[in-house]
Amino acid sequence: GQQLNQSPQSMFIQEGEDVSMNCTSSSIFNTWLWYKQDPGEGPVLLIALYKAGELTSNGRLTAQFGITRKDSFLNISASIPSDVGIYFCAGRRIQGAQKLVFGQGTRLTINP
Amino acid sequence: GAGVSQTPSNKVTEKGKYVELRCDPISGHTALYWYRQSLGQGPEFLIYFQGTGAADDSGLPNDRFFAVRPEGSVSTLKIQRTERGDSAVYLCASSLNPPSGGETQYFGPGTRLLVL
């Protein structure tokens, strides 16, 4: 079953607003990743984080690897219509492990 | 270049039937992964291949599920005696040789399996 708790489950915002979502775990994770999934497609990697405390940006997206290694957040600034979709956090628990553990997803809807 | 491709894109079958789902990874990627995504959930890991061998099959739910990758490229996920609970999107991903575990996994569009 899922080991990552992602919140909120859904968001309804106005175009131009900033968005924030987060992911927590009861276990330490070695790597945190954020993916976006569009309908009928597979997840696409947005940002990867490898060190506790790391803050990384990709355009209007910013993500951080929590100091405790048990959480991560993703911020999207000045949202635009193409940001609509489902965002997933994912992580690797063990150094060198390949399998990813995913959160339940945050569905983002934007009102123009 | 071409991404990960999966066939069929949709599969409808009856309970108890056998199905095969195919994945063509990105050329040159030695690692291949299968995940299952139920409606409203995130993907769940099933199995990981490094080359031809299954390096981690800890996510396969039971012995009705089996996957092969005989030549280290294309992989087939096989499900015997399908049950309604097997209905989900089956995602395949591939990555370059991941000696350190940090390689990006590129996902295909998935096969939507519906078991009636």
Side-chain angles (χ1 to χ4, degrees):
Chain A
Q2 300 290 358
Q3 299 181 47
L4 296 181
N5 298 309
Q6 190 171 345
S7 65
Q9 291 187 3
S10 60
M11 302 183 73
F12 299 85
I13 64 169
Q14 297 295 124
E15 183 177 351
E17 289 185 9
D18 296 343
V19 171
S20 183
M21 60 191 77
N22 67 79
C23 202
T24 62
S25 171
S26 58
S27 305
I28 290 174
F29 275 73
N30 178 271
T31 302
W32 285 95
L33 307 165
W34 285 92
Y35 284 84
K36 179 174 184 278
Q37 187 174 28
D38 293 326
E41 302 293 330
V44 174
L45 182 67
L46 299 174
I47 293 180
L49 303 158
Y50 299 106
K51 295 180 181 179
E54 180 180 353
L55 183 70
T56 298
S57 293
N58 178 8
R60 292 178 297 104
L61 279 61
T62 302
Q64 185 158 28
F65 191 139
I67 291 293
T68 65
R69 297 171 64 192
K70 294 183 178 180
D71 63 342
S72 177
F73 73 75
L74 174 71
N75 286 343
I76 306 173
S77 63
S79 58
I80 60 177
S82 62
D83 291 335
V84 166
I86 303 178
Y87 292 79
F88 291 98
C89 61
R92 290 191 180 95
R93 287 191 58 194
I94 302 171
Q95 178 72 30
Q98 298 311 312
K99 67 180 181 182
L100 298 178
V101 177
F102 282 81
Q104 309 99 315
T106 295
R107 180 181 295 275
L108 179 62
T109 302
I110 298 176
N111 299 316
Chain B
V4 177
S5 62
Q6 294 185 244
T7 55
S9 54
N10 294 280
K11 177 70 177 178
V12 181
T13 191
E14 293 179 344
K15 178 183 173 183
K17 298 290 188 182
Y18 168 84
V19 297
E20 289 189 352
L21 311 179
R22 176 187 167 110
C23 173
D24 282 86
I26 293 172
S27 178
H29 282 193
T30 60
L32 185 146
Y33 315 79
W34 285 98
Y35 292 82
R36 179 169 69 174
Q37 186 174 22
S38 299
L39 189 64
Q41 300 295 318
E44 290 188 294
F45 171 81
L46 295 177
I47 186 170
Y48 150 59
F49 287 90
Q50 180 57 42
T52 60
D56 182 354
D57 64 358
S58 61
L60 294 178
N62 52 60
D63 61 6
R64 295 187 298 104
F65 289 75
F66 189 72
V68 295
R69 195 185 184 201
E71 298 179 356
S73 179
V74 171
S75 176
T76 303
L77 179 64
K78 308 181 181 192
I79 310 174
Q80 300 177 321
R81 306 183 302 280
T82 52
E83 300 178 355
R84 292 194 179 88
D86 298 337
S87 298
V89 176
Y90 289 82
L91 293 165
C92 177
S94 70
S95 69
L96 290 171
N97 189 20
S100 63
E103 296 291 341
T104 298
Q105 295 181 22
Y106 296 88
F107 283 82
T111 292
R112 282 146 194 80
L113 175 66
L114 177 61
V115 181
L116 300 176

